[in-house]
Amino acid sequence: MGHPVHAVSAFTIVGPHRLRIAFADGLVRTIDFRPILEGELYGPLRDLRVFNAVSLDREVHTLVWPNGADFNPATLHDWPDHEAAMMELARRWASVASSGEKAS
């Protein structure tokens, strides 16, 4: 049995660093991205001008930003299952940045 393939079909900016995301299967989820905006890739999204430049890549069916940041649509779809792990990664990225080390 295969895993479901999730696709983002639309999104709306609903607040600072918050998106309401609609999926092809009918699920609609609101995500506050602030807790995970750390590190080389996601850190620049703390700037609302950068964050609000989000767009829907219709080829890969997910959200993308001009700096190259994106998320697997399955991660967005099942966000409650992934949120804690993403926050832990963000803490590590912030720690690495504050210590001046290179992220691995």
Side-chain angles (χ1 to χ4, degrees):
M1 178 153 117
H3 297 284
V5 175
H6 297 293
V8 175
S9 58
F11 73 92
T12 305
I13 298 170
V14 294
H17 302 106
R18 291 181 50 147
L19 300 176
R20 181 174 298 118
I21 306 165
F23 297 88
D25 66 359
L27 178 73
V28 177
R29 180 176 306 290
T30 300
I31 298 175
D32 181 351
F33 288 89
R34 284 177 291 196
I36 62 145
L37 299 182
E38 296 291 346
E40 198 172 311
L41 188 59
Y42 298 121
L45 302 183
R46 288 184 300 228
D47 179 333
L48 275 176
R49 291 171 300 172
V50 178
F51 184 85
N52 290 344
V54 62
S55 63
L56 177 57
D57 183 316
R58 298 220 177 258
E59 187 174 322
V60 295
H61 308 286
T62 197
L63 303 175
V64 296
W65 283 265
N67 72 331
D70 66 357
F71 289 90
N72 182 315
T75 298
L76 296 172
H77 184 277
D78 300 331
W79 188 254
D81 296 336
H82 300 283
E83 185 174 18
M86 292 296 296
M87 290 173 67
E88 178 56 33
L89 281 172
R91 281 190 284 276
R92 281 193 261 155
W93 296 328
S95 175
V96 167
S98 68
S99 70
E101 297 175 24
K102 280 282 219 185
S104 54

